[in-house]
Amino acid sequence: MQLFELNAHTWVIQGGGNIGVIAHEDRCLIIDSGLDKDAGRDILKQVKNLGLTPTALLITHAHADHFGGAHYLVRQTGLKVYATRVEAAVMSSPILEPLYLFSGAQPPRELQHKFLLAKPSPADVILTGNETTIDEIPLRLISLPGHSSEQIGVAFGDTLFVGDAFLVPDILDKHRIPFYSDVQAGLATLATLKTQTPTFRHVVAGHGEIYSSVEQANRAIDYTAERLEHILEMTRQALASGEPRSTADTLREICRAYHIKISTMPQYVLYQTTIQSALTTLYARGELAPVFQDNQLLWQRTA
Ligand SMILES: [Zn+2]
């Protein structure tokens, strides 16, 4: 893991993801905790090397790669864990992540891998997302739903941490279809985010490059928004003939268009979730309607 100093009070530890470290007087807040015990250990080592004692941990959203290291950090340091309500529910009962990805049915073992199933780490404090201090540290939380339902970001001094609200372009190009549980909310979040970036010197996404220019950050935000719009457009096109189609069929069409070849269970359920949310977004906008045929739930264009 590599350490980046953004200013005298703010750092990013970069490994599998970007971990934020904020220091204020005798307090030290860590933002996200990496995937597992190893990540937690590396984070703690780096924070100690800075001469800091972590007192709080904020989880932007409850995906295993963001809270999997929390269990270790809590055990080693006794720091307090902060998260919003829905995200905290997953953190205390991590089986919820594979469970929701598998429509609430008992998830197969392929979905019970540490990338989707972290060790439990209950939140000590439930956040509303409007807080202006955490652990006596002055900061501002910002609500960033879309990638996850109650994701939050943290504004501290000249730095904005945004979790996975947007993906940096090279990572987005690798995934092609980003994970979104709510495409509509994600688009609104990206639009809001762009109005916020001009007041910050550094914008830190959950993974990849740290942006120290507003233009670069906004370009990455636009790139993610364009991808979501493109996924909505591909969903419309998959249903353009007027023939009703299932979610599975729509997913197949869109994967074909993006040259995606799914070969694992996690890939399938992650892509499927984004396409489901594209379908519900278009349904909420009145562009589609559900129809039942042959005991299948199908989607049909309304116009
Ligand atoms: Zn995530």
Side-chain angles (χ1 to χ4, degrees):
M1 284 186 162
Q2 214 186 335
L3 182 77
F4 293 88
E5 183 178 283
L6 303 186
N7 61 49
H9 310 277
T10 317
W11 300 262
V12 174
I13 300 168
Q14 199 170 57
N18 290 327
I19 310 301
V21 181
I22 287 174
H24 177 77
E25 295 171 356
D26 64 338
R27 318 309 289 169
C28 169
L29 171 71
I30 299 178
I31 301 168
D32 288 338
S33 66
L35 177 66
D36 55 12
K37 186 178 171 179
D38 292 344
R41 190 184 292 116
D42 285 350
I43 291 165
L44 189 55
K45 209 169 111 194
Q46 299 262 16
V47 172
K48 281 184 173 165
N49 282 345
L50 289 168
L52 301 170
T53 305
T55 51
L57 169 66
L58 177 141
I59 301 296
T60 59
H61 66 292
H63 287 163
D65 60 332
H66 290 254
F67 81 93
H71 180 87
Y72 176 86
L73 288 171
V74 169
R75 233 185 21 198
Q76 294 297 314
T77 69
L79 47 62
K80 289 241 175 311
V81 180
Y82 295 75
T84 53
R85 187 169 300 278
V86 171
E87 308 300 329
V90 178
M91 288 160 59
S92 52
S93 303
I95 190 67
L96 287 171
E97 188 178 354
L99 198 61
Y100 67 62
L101 288 169
F102 208 60
S103 308
Q106 174 61 19
R109 66 173 186 278
E110 288 89 339
L111 297 182
Q112 299 197 36
H113 189 274
K114 75 173 175 186
F115 289 100
L116 295 175
L117 180 59
K119 273 203 166 169
S121 189
D124 298 294
V125 180
I126 303 293
L127 299 168
T128 62
N130 297 313
E131 283 76 1
T132 51
T133 58
I134 282 187
D135 194 34
E136 298 166 40
I137 302 173
L139 45 71
R140 189 164 55 84
L141 295 187
I142 111 169
S143 173
L144 302 168
H147 171 72
S148 183
S149 69
E150 285 187 358
Q151 177 172 248
I152 48 170
V154 179
F156 176 72
D158 64 2
T159 307
L160 180 62
F161 295 92
V162 303
D164 291 346
F166 70 85
L167 289 183
V168 306
D170 56 331
I171 296 176
L172 181 51
D173 283 340
K174 204 174 87 195
H175 292 298
R176 286 172 262 192
I177 299 175
F179 180 84
Y180 271 79
S181 68
D182 187 338
V183 168
Q184 176 72 28
L187 282 167
T189 284
L190 292 169
T192 310
L193 208 48
K194 265 188 81 177
T195 67
Q196 305 265 332
T197 49
T199 52
F200 296 97
R201 202 164 148 226
H202 308 285
V203 178
V204 186
H207 306 269
E209 195 180 343
I210 299 160
Y211 293 119
S212 296
S213 107
V214 175
E215 290 71 31
Q216 272 188 320
N218 283 351
R219 222 175 294 137
I221 293 167
D222 282 342
Y223 196 64
T224 303
E226 282 159 19
R227 184 64 51 93
L228 292 182
E229 291 290 1
H230 191 249
I231 289 164
L232 290 178
E233 188 49 35
M234 301 305 286
T235 306
R236 286 187 193 98
Q237 280 180 26
L239 298 163
S241 74
E243 272 297 295
R245 272 201 151 147
S246 66
T247 302
D249 247 7
T250 309
L251 173 64
R252 190 190 56 195
E253 277 298 302
I254 295 173
C255 284
R256 191 177 287 157
Y258 280 112
H259 306 289
I260 289 169
K261 198 165 181 293
I262 295 174
S263 58
T264 69
M265 194 92 76
Q267 274 182 321
Y268 187 84
V269 295
L270 294 170
Y271 284 138
Q272 177 183 246
T273 301
T274 302
I275 300 310
Q276 294 254 49
S277 92
L279 288 163
T280 47
T281 293
L282 295 178
Y283 177 39
R285 291 182 186 179
E287 293 185 45
L288 305 181
V291 289
F292 291 91
Q293 254 176 37
D294 255 346
N295 294 320
Q296 298 178 90
L297 166 60
L298 307 178
W299 297 97
Q300 189 167 35
R301 293 287 296 266
T302 50

